[in-house]
Amino acid sequence: GQGARPPLSQPVCVLADSRGIAGGPEVLSCLRLRHGVTAQVCSLGACDFIVSNRMAVERQTLSEISSSVNRGRLAERVRALQGSFDRVCLIVEKDRTKPGEVSRVFQRSRYYDSTLAALIRAGTRLLFSSGPEDTAALLAELARVEQRKSNAIAVPTEVKGQRHQALQFYLTLPGVSYIAALNMCHRFSSVWHLVNSAVEELAAGACVSRPRAEEIFRCLRYAFHPDLL
Amino acid sequence: LMAAPMEGTPVRIGAAPPYGHVIVNERWRGSAIVQGFQGKLKAIFEEGLGLVDFHLSDHSCVLYVSESGLVAGNGYRRKLFQFRKASKLHGIIVVEKTRLSEQYFPAVQKFVVFELGLTLLPVASQSEASQLIAQLVHDESKEESRNPFLRKKAAKLCEPVVLALVQQIPGVGRVKALALLRHFPSIHQLSNATAQQLEAAVGAAAAQSVRGFFHTSLAPPR
């Protein structure tokens, strides 16, 4: 019931990719103004939004997802997200109609259904949105659900000076997302500290799962052999 | 408060349709969905499936929420909630999102995805549902390796990653990185090298850069 809900004290934070801004400025302004979300623009590269320490959100229009031309790129992107996030969510947004244009009826194809089926089987969560405002509401809800599960983004999103160099180094580590690298920047006192941490410390500091921490640990201790390059 | 008692069990566990078949709850016999399976999928009708409408495989099933069910109010919620409590099957909720029912869609999505953690797929009609279910069944029988969205677990060489990591150190390019790795083959060893050891390998300037990179204080210690 309503009474069981925790107080809305902590504002939630969402990271948005700087390249995605052109595609949807309304999503960002809606997140900030209507939902009170701290929406920070960063160079995420691999995904459109990060809503928690473990969840990435990709935004696709209905026409993009139902076009076979786009599949290779979409598949590559989803695989890349699964490489660095434990949860991957896809928001399928209805295409906007230009002023004066009659809203086209969506012709559902077998291709579209097979894409949905394959995405579900790959463990991707699907959400359906009627437009940018709806997308913002879904992002805010995802971030709040993740906050209730103690996975909220809880470090400063600005990185300056020496920390910026460390961030680039951390982003080069295998399976490390932008938010994991940010956590590393703010939760380890030096790069040496991180490199010399045990698996448990890595998992706790970067807010990643144990298997991911093990992968990072292995990479840091891996003995380079020039002949294998 | 207890939910109204159901006849039999809410879900029958372990229903496994053979290849190219779907197990269909008896109440769908003669429906447009089942007619749409013609030529794509063979239906096996069964009673006693409880809340489940279609079994796609031994671990996944479909529960159908019709337009009228959606418009009528929250009755569907109890059904889906009961299903969630009764089984660990992967439940795909197929919902009729029509011009009449679309205003209720955000609430259904919120309930199904955020509260129950189940999968939700909208369709515009029973014939669309038929196509979709046939595709879901078809996909269930496909090998995982043919799924373009699944990451392939291939053993990758770590050498390029380690080299790229060392090149992230300011003032260290490919040549110096390789020289460093010849003396200190892992990032861990490199981070623990003394100033003298580093100087012997790459000279004073680069040595200082490497030490500085690893040891500069980044965060107030907690």
Side-chain angles (χ1 to χ4, degrees), chain A residues 44-57:
Chain A
L44 304 179
C47 61
D48 294 333
F49 300 97
I50 298 178
V51 295
S52 75
N53 284 327
R54 59 175 188 181
M55 188 187 277
V57 182

Side-chain angles (χ1 to χ4, degrees), chain B residues 13-137:
Chain B
I13 313 290
Y19 180 80
H21 290 65
V22 58
I23 297 178
V24 179
N25 195 313
E26 183 62 38
R27 63 174 167 260
W28 287 97
R29 194 185 279 277
S31 66
I33 295 187
V34 171
Q35 280 164 20
F37 290 156
Q38 206 121 66
K40 297 191 209 85
L41 206 55
K42 290 205 175 71
I44 304 168
F45 293 98
E46 284 191 22
E47 286 179 43
L49 295 183
L51 299 165
V52 172
D53 294 302
F54 304 91
H55 273 285
L56 311 179
S57 70
D58 60 348
H59 61 270
S60 72
C61 63
V62 166
L63 275 75
Y64 196 81
V65 180
S66 67
E67 175 192 66
S68 56
L70 213 53
V71 174
N74 289 332
Y76 70 88
R77 284 180 180 243
R78 199 180 68 197
K79 177 178 152 176
L80 300 184
F81 185 72
Q82 265 188 309
F83 166 78
R84 189 75 183 86
K85 264 177 50 182
S87 90
K88 291 260 180 269
L89 282 174
H90 177 210
I92 299 171
I93 315 305
V94 175
V95 56
E96 264 177 31
K97 186 188 177 200
T98 63
R99 198 166 289 181
L100 204 65
S101 67
E102 68 182 347
Q103 59 177 306
Y104 305 100
F105 182 78
V108 184
Q109 178 157 265
K110 197 172 165 187
F111 178 67
V112 170
V113 181
F114 294 118
E115 288 178 42
L116 300 182
L118 299 171
T119 301
L120 181 79
L121 295 175
V123 293
S125 63
Q126 286 205 12
S127 75
E128 276 196 9
S130 196
Q131 288 268 5
L132 175 64
I133 290 169
Q135 202 58 57
L136 290 169
V137 170

Side-chain angles (χ1 to χ4, degrees), chain A residues 114-156:
Chain A
S114 80
T115 301
L116 295 186
L119 282 165
I120 292 170
R121 287 263 286 168
T124 311
R125 275 136 228 258
L126 294 172
L127 287 167
F128 296 87
S129 153
S130 60
E133 289 182 5
D134 204 13
T135 296
L138 291 171
L139 285 167
E141 189 65 26
L142 280 171
R144 277 197 206 98
V145 171
E146 286 290 282
Q147 184 185 48
R148 282 202 286 278
K149 293 176 181 168
S150 308
N151 291 306
I153 295 170
V155 288

Side-chain angles (χ1 to χ4, degrees), chain A residues 57-125:
Chain A
V57 182
E58 177 79 3
R59 179 188 181 206
Q60 292 278 316
T61 62
L62 199 49
S63 60
E64 279 176 315
I65 206 170
S66 43
S67 143
S68 59
V69 179
N70 202 32
R71 185 176 234 178
R73 198 193 73 90
L74 177 65
E76 201 176 296
R77 229 166 131 85
V78 170
R79 284 199 304 267
L81 292 181
Q82 285 172 337
S84 47
F85 290 91
D86 292 337
R87 307 258 165 127
V88 177
C89 182
L90 211 116
I91 296 182
V92 183
E93 189 177 299
K94 198 177 157 202
D95 294 78
R96 76 182 69 206
T97 46
K98 296 183 191 87
E101 192 185 26
V102 183
S103 172
R104 273 166 298 158
V105 177
F106 171 61
Q107 279 295 328
R108 196 184 185 110
S109 64
R110 183 180 289 187
Y111 178 81
Y112 172 73
D113 284 340
S114 80
T115 301
L116 295 186
L119 282 165
I120 292 170
R121 287 263 286 168
T124 311
R125 275 136 228 258

